[in-house]
Amino acid sequence: MFNKNFIGALLIGTVSFNLGAQDLPKASPDRMQSRIEKLSEYGRNSDGGVDRVAYSKADIEGRVYIMSLMRSQGLENIRIDVGGNIIGRRSGSDPNAKPIMVGSHIDSVPGGGNYDGDVGVIANLEVIDLMNASNIRTKSPVDVVVFSNEEGGLVGSLAMTGKLKPETLDVMSHSGLTIGEGTRAIGGDPDNILDDAIAPGILKAFIELHIEQGAFLDEEDIDIGVVEGIVGINWWDITIQGVANHGGTTPMNRRQDAMVAAAHLTLAINEIANELEGRQVATVGRIQAFPGAPNVIPGKVVMSLEVRDLEQEKMDRVFSLVEARAKDIARKTGTTINFEFIDVASHPAPTDKRMRSIIAKAAKEAGYSYKLMPSGAGHDAQDMVSIAPTGMIFVPSKGGISHSPKEYTSPDEMAKGADVLLRAILEIDKQKLD
Amino acid sequence: MFNKNFIGALLIGTVSFNLGAQDLPKASPDRMQSRIEKLSEYGRNSDGGVDRVAYSKADIEGRVYIMSLMRSQGLENIRIDVGGNIIGRRSGSDPNAKPIMVGSHIDSVPGGGNYDGDVGVIANLEVIDLMNASNIRTKSPVDVVVFSNEEGGLVGSLAMTGKLKPETLDVMSHSGLTIGEGTRAIGGDPDNILDDAIAPGILKAFIELHIEQGAFLDEEDIDIGVVEGIVGINWWDITIQGVANHGGTTPMNRRQDAMVAAAHLTLAINEIANELEGRQVATVGRIQAFPGAPNVIPGKVVMSLEVRDLEQEKMDRVFSLVEARAKDIARKTGTTINFEFIDVASHPAPTDKRMRSIIAKAAKEAGYSYKLMPSGAGHDAQDMVSIAPTGMIFVPSKGGISHSPKEYTSPDEMAKGADVLLRAILEIDKQKLD
């Protein structure tokens, strides 16, 4: 025992001295790629993608694989919390230092690809390997997390941050189990789902590495995205009420056609989102006309409106412009237009400014190009902002494609991400973030 | 026997002399209304309308009621033909004269009203009653028809005119029976469905009296519509192909949004039908977006297009303008737009010009206001034009409402229609139409 500790202490001293920013070990593209390939076996489908929906057999097998890697890396106290999250710790040298947490997920959408979530988990493990191999000892413990059911509603991170609503447990998941049943199936405890919630101030920082799911990095040939935040999502159901009537006997100038009003409104929404300065987006993804027969003028149309932006103010501005146009359209088309706010929306979740600086500095020192950018997609990080200084690292997605077997990030791109993650962890470990 | 025939001959002579145009008996609003009310009991629903879909118990009971009226009126050879049509004859005085046929229907759409079809059937019976009461004897026999399954595809009149396609018999009807099974259930013979088809030249004329199903007569306070013809219907399925993408990570200026293209096209269709001179109509009644999630930019939209007009040339013109606009929209939105012609369309069916004059003259001599107008809705008459000089009489629909429990035509309006029908029959009987 004496020898071991002594050697450890010696090595820590050496490391602190020799491994300056320039000399840090480099992530192995080959090792990361082979782990991605191994992980992709769990739930592989005939399209070359995966059906590894949360709580499925494939999800459970993938989780076992990741836990076996964590064990072989010597992570301590590898466990499944009440929310079904896998957590393992690499201990730090300072018993009083707060943990630095890194997390991502391995569950997929139905018909998903091999990179969404997976790259983050593999990068987290890569960083542990690098620190192990170079005997880098941080003051803070490093907690590695695989969040449960990210794709089905950020379940694991909502549980970890104490925000999961009890009724969510009754929601049916793609696995055929409810979220409660599924949480139990992967080793969680739905009856006490908030018992492992982490209070604000416990963690020193949280970082999530993820594929971009957009095409900015790929098209501009940039290595690293420094995420400014996860956009908020507001969602409405729009009901347009006109007068259903016979498509043959009702002259054009006597129609109160809900479909025509819906078309005007769809174009208005598109124009507003296009013409305002900024990066807001607005989408009409779903529409239904009633009664829905080719020979009947629709008396009612229900359609969805989704607005996303990094700033709630901008989302509110988009919506108020849409509302104003809707009033005008309703008047001109002889219809009424009502907006029902759907309460599955999320608020914009800006990342911590210090974390953005740390990640940008890490990219710069590693010699990689980077840019600040929002995340248009949702991530566990958006929950974590409420309990810890949070940062996100993006790596490129080929063609911006995600939720598809065509997802792709090259081994070199993944390795660059892991390099930045390692440097960011070490920098966080040095800084006082309180 | 001698006495009876003798008296009959005397009466006929008297009638021919005394009952000039001014002296014809008048239809009874009360009798017509009470029969409408009695018929409305078969299939009555809680909304005050009827669910008397073809082949249902209510349809069969309604048909029995009508046949009992026909029997009490002394119609001869009351029978159900192979197509399920009820036919009864009031014989004429000239054994060589061709029959004059009057026909309508009593089947309804699901959730239908008490006037569509019914008013025509009751008016036909009213005319028989008037002729019986006044001992009016026409040279031509008068054949009274209740067509089978009008609402489900003009089945009876297609069979009668030899145009019913064999595959139609396999189509499921609202009753839960196929059209073949249903035809058998009401006493027809689906195995020999064309055996009672009537060749062109057999009938002297065909007249259908119907509610307008539009608001022109009601709003302009006109008694009678002299139908110029039944509009043709062309129908397309339009498929718009864009690129499905993440609604959060795809910037507005990089979208190939099939929904936005669909909105442009819907407005273009509406504009074209509005701005061309004439009475053409175009309707987008059905739309579906794929995948149809609020957070996914639709990669595909399928929507219907229905165009109606009295002239095929005008329908072709509307479509070619729509096609041209679609090309433009596809180019601007980065989508492709394809039109698939659906072969359930019908050609425009102009009525016989002589019949229009006869009906107009009948209305004028009865002292009723009238106007020439197209029928935007389909009718059995559109099939009958192929085998007989065909005319149609419209009576007002309150508010233009049809296919709804709110359908309404007043007793006086119905009676005026029957008055015009009687006069038209007598005029046809006098004229040579060959």
Side-chain angles (χ1 to χ4, degrees):
Chain A
M1 288 300 281
F2 172 79
N3 275 355
K4 198 174 174 190
N5 278 349
F6 176 73
I7 292 168
L10 273 182
L11 285 169
I12 291 165
T14 312
V15 164
S16 299
F17 187 74
N18 280 348
L19 290 179
Q22 288 73 18
D23 305 322
L24 281 175
K26 290 271 188 185
S28 161
D30 289 350
R31 180 167 54 198
M32 292 186 74
Q33 177 62 23
S34 78
R35 285 175 176 169
I36 283 284
E37 285 172 16
K38 179 70 184 163
L39 182 53
S40 74
E41 291 173 14
Y42 303 105
R44 173 170 295 173
N45 60 32
S46 55
D47 298 326
V50 289
D51 290 303
R52 198 192 301 132
V53 298
Y55 317 134
S56 66
K57 183 165 171 284
D59 184 37
I60 291 168
E61 289 173 349
R63 288 163 58 92
V64 167
Y65 166 63
I66 297 298
M67 281 191 281
S68 74
L69 286 179
M70 289 166 84
R71 247 174 245 114
S72 70
Q73 292 181 319
L75 293 187
E76 297 165 9
N77 193 19
I78 298 166
R79 67 194 193 281
I80 294 170
D81 76 2
V82 291
N85 303 302
I86 299 169
I87 310 177
R89 170 166 291 188
R90 188 172 189 271
S91 60
S93 60
D94 177 353
N96 296 318
K98 294 176 179 179
I100 298 168
M101 183 177 278
V102 293
S104 187
H105 66 96
I106 65 158
D107 64 297
S108 80
V109 294
N114 297 311
Y115 296 84
D116 181 346
D118 302 352
V119 172
V121 169
I122 298 304
N124 294 342
L125 297 178
E126 183 68 18
V127 164
I128 300 297
D129 273 326
L130 294 179
M131 292 198 289
N132 284 350
S134 300
N135 286 307
I136 300 171
R137 173 110 348 222
T138 51
K139 285 180 286 186
S140 283
V142 176
D143 285 348
V144 176
V145 176
V146 179
F147 288 110
S148 70
N149 196 1
E150 193 267 354
E151 297 290 0
L154 308 178
V155 174
S157 56
L158 283 171
M160 184 178 281
T161 55
K163 291 180 291 196
L164 191 75
K165 293 178 183 166
E167 58 266 30
T168 302
L169 298 171
D170 298 325
V171 172
M172 184 54 61
S173 77
H174 287 296
S175 66
L177 302 177
T178 64
I179 286 175
E181 292 165 349
T183 299
R184 197 183 305 282
I186 59 173
D189 180 3
D191 299 334
N192 299 289
I193 193 83
L194 300 184
D195 276 10
D196 287 335
I198 300 173
I202 302 293
L203 299 178
K204 183 161 191 190
F206 173 80
I207 310 186
E208 181 169 3
L209 183 149
H210 205 279
I211 62 169
E212 180 196 343
Q213 299 179 267
F216 284 114
L217 297 179
D218 183 41
E219 289 184 3
E220 298 174 29
D221 204 16
I222 291 173
D223 301 316
I224 297 293
V226 180
V227 178
E228 297 166 88
I230 295 98
V231 299
I233 304 177
N234 282 355
W235 181 12
W236 292 265
D237 272 356
I238 306 176
T239 300
I240 302 169
Q241 192 75 51
V243 176
N245 223 326
H246 195 294
T249 60
T250 316
M252 297 308 293
N253 61 3
R254 297 189 181 198
R255 297 179 172 212
Q256 292 166 272
D257 187 332
M259 181 75 95
V260 169
H264 279 295
L265 188 56
T266 300
L267 295 186
I269 289 165
N270 197 254
E271 273 170 35
I272 289 164
N274 257 306
E275 289 171 10
L276 278 181
E277 248 183 77
R279 293 173 298 197
Q280 66 287 332
V281 290
T283 304
V284 175
R286 189 161 69 188
I287 187 166
Q288 194 175 4
F290 299 88
N295 57 352
V296 182
I297 300 160
K300 186 166 94 166
V301 168
V302 178
M303 62 191 223
S304 62
L305 167 61
E306 195 199 64
V307 175
R308 302 194 190 206
D309 195 68
L310 260 186
E311 290 169 28
Q312 185 62 47
E313 207 173 36
K314 176 62 81 64
M315 297 201 286
D316 294 344
R317 170 105 181 105
V318 168
F319 181 64
S320 74
L321 289 170
V322 169
E323 266 193 321
R325 290 286 292 274
K327 251 183 212 167
D328 207 41
I329 291 164
R331 193 174 44 73
K332 282 181 186 158
T333 56
T335 59
T336 59
I337 302 181
N338 285 301
F339 294 83
E340 184 192 359
F341 185 75
I342 305 294
D343 192 18
V344 294
S346 59
H347 292 290
T351 52
D352 189 279
K353 280 187 184 171
R354 297 161 300 178
M355 296 292 284
R356 293 179 210 159
S357 302
I358 288 169
I359 293 166
K361 184 183 168 207
K364 198 173 178 184
E365 290 186 356
Y368 302 147
S369 55
Y370 66 93
K371 73 175 284 184
L372 272 169
M373 60 191 305
S375 170
H379 295 289
D380 290 308
Q382 75 195 55
D383 296 329
M384 299 301 286
V385 298
S386 65
I387 62 164
T390 291
M392 265 200 94
I393 300 168
F394 271 169
V395 294
S397 295
K398 187 169 181 191
I401 295 168
S402 77
H403 288 187
S404 155
K406 293 182 183 158
E407 279 176 2
Y408 184 71
T409 300
S410 75
D412 281 343
E413 289 167 337
M414 291 191 281
K416 286 176 180 174
D419 289 340
V420 172
L421 178 60
L422 172 60
R423 285 171 189 269
I425 289 169
L426 298 181
E427 181 64 27
I428 292 165
D429 195 48
K430 274 198 234 160
Q431 290 199 14
K432 271 191 190 284
L433 288 179
D434 294 327
Chain B
M1 291 298 284
F2 172 83
N3 276 355
K4 199 176 175 188
N5 278 348
F6 175 74
I7 293 167
L10 273 182
L11 285 169
I12 292 165
T14 312
V15 166
S16 301
F17 187 73
N18 282 348
L19 291 179
Q22 289 72 17
D23 306 322
L24 280 175
K26 291 272 188 183
S28 161
D30 290 349
R31 180 167 54 197
M32 293 186 75
Q33 178 62 24
S34 78
R35 284 175 176 169
I36 282 284
E37 285 172 16
K38 178 70 185 165
L39 183 54
S40 74
E41 292 174 12
Y42 304 103
R44 173 170 296 174
N45 61 33
S46 56
D47 298 326
V50 287
D51 290 303
R52 197 192 301 130
V53 298
Y55 316 136
S56 65
K57 182 164 172 284
D59 184 37
I60 292 169
E61 290 173 348
R63 289 161 58 91
V64 168
Y65 167 63
I66 298 298
M67 282 192 280
S68 74
L69 287 180
M70 290 166 84
R71 245 175 246 114
S72 71
Q73 292 181 317
L75 293 187
E76 297 166 10
N77 195 20
I78 297 166
R79 67 193 192 281
I80 294 170
D81 75 2
V82 292
N85 303 304
I86 298 168
I87 310 177
R89 170 166 291 188
R90 186 171 191 273
S91 60
S93 60
D94 178 353
N96 296 318
K98 295 176 178 180
I100 299 166
M101 183 178 276
V102 292
S104 186
H105 65 97
I106 66 158
D107 64 296
S108 80
V109 295
N114 297 311
Y115 296 85
D116 181 346
D118 302 352
V119 172
V121 170
I122 299 304
N124 295 341
L125 298 179
E126 183 67 18
V127 165
I128 300 296
D129 273 326
L130 294 180
M131 292 197 289
N132 284 350
S134 300
N135 286 307
I136 300 172
R137 174 112 343 224
T138 52
K139 283 181 287 183
S140 285
V142 176
D143 285 348
V144 176
V145 176
V146 178
F147 290 109
S148 69
N149 195 1
E150 194 267 355
E151 297 291 359
L154 308 177
V155 174
S157 55
L158 284 169
M160 185 177 281
T161 56
K163 291 180 291 196
L164 192 77
K165 292 178 184 167
E167 59 267 30
T168 302
L169 297 172
D170 298 326
V171 172
M172 185 54 62
S173 77
H174 286 296
S175 66
L177 302 176
T178 65
I179 286 176
E181 292 165 346
T183 299
R184 197 183 304 283
I186 59 173
D189 180 2
D191 300 334
N192 301 289
I193 192 86
L194 302 184
D195 276 11
D196 287 336
I198 299 174
I202 302 293
L203 299 179
K204 185 165 190 187
F206 173 80
I207 310 184
E208 181 170 1
L209 184 150
H210 205 278
I211 62 168
E212 181 196 342
Q213 298 181 268
F216 285 113
L217 297 179
D218 183 41
E219 291 183 3
E220 299 174 29
D221 202 16
I222 291 173
D223 301 315
I224 298 294
V226 180
V227 179
E228 297 166 89
I230 295 100
V231 300
I233 304 177
N234 281 356
W235 181 11
W236 293 264
D237 272 356
I238 306 176
T239 301
I240 301 168
Q241 191 75 51
V243 177
N245 224 326
H246 195 295
T249 60
T250 315
M252 296 309 292
N253 61 2
R254 297 189 182 197
R255 297 179 172 212
Q256 292 166 273
D257 187 333
M259 183 76 94
V260 169
H264 279 294
L265 189 56
T266 299
L267 295 186
I269 289 164
N270 197 254
E271 272 169 37
I272 289 164
N274 258 306
E275 289 171 9
L276 277 180
E277 249 183 74
R279 293 173 298 197
Q280 66 287 332
V281 289
T283 304
V284 175
R286 188 161 70 190
I287 188 165
Q288 194 174 4
F290 299 88
N295 56 353
V296 182
I297 300 161
K300 187 166 92 165
V301 168
V302 178
M303 62 192 222
S304 63
L305 167 61
E306 193 197 66
V307 175
R308 300 194 190 205
D309 194 69
L310 260 186
E311 290 169 28
Q312 186 62 47
E313 208 173 36
K314 176 61 79 63
M315 297 201 286
D316 294 344
R317 170 104 183 106
V318 167
F319 181 64
S320 73
L321 289 170
V322 169
E323 266 193 320
R325 290 287 291 275
K327 252 184 212 166
D328 207 42
I329 291 164
R331 192 175 44 72
K332 282 181 186 159
T333 56
T335 60
T336 59
I337 302 180
N338 285 302
F339 294 83
E340 184 192 359
F341 185 75
I342 305 295
D343 193 18
V344 293
S346 59
H347 292 289
T351 52
D352 188 279
K353 280 186 186 172
R354 296 163 300 180
M355 296 290 285
R356 292 179 210 159
S357 302
I358 287 170
I359 294 167
K361 185 184 167 204
K364 197 172 176 183
E365 290 187 355
Y368 302 147
S369 54
Y370 64 94
K371 73 177 284 184
L372 273 170
M373 59 190 306
S375 170
H379 293 290
D380 291 308
Q382 75 196 55
D383 296 329
M384 298 302 285
V385 297
S386 66
I387 62 164
T390 291
M392 265 198 96
I393 299 168
F394 272 170
V395 293
S397 294
K398 188 170 181 189
I401 296 168
S402 76
H403 289 188
S404 154
K406 293 181 183 162
E407 280 177 2
Y408 184 71
T409 300
S410 74
D412 280 341
E413 289 167 336
M414 292 192 280
K416 287 178 181 174
D419 289 339
V420 172
L421 178 61
L422 171 61
R423 285 169 190 270
I425 289 169
L426 298 182
E427 181 65 26
I428 292 164
D429 195 49
K430 275 195 235 163
Q431 289 199 13
K432 270 189 191 286
L433 288 178
D434 295 324

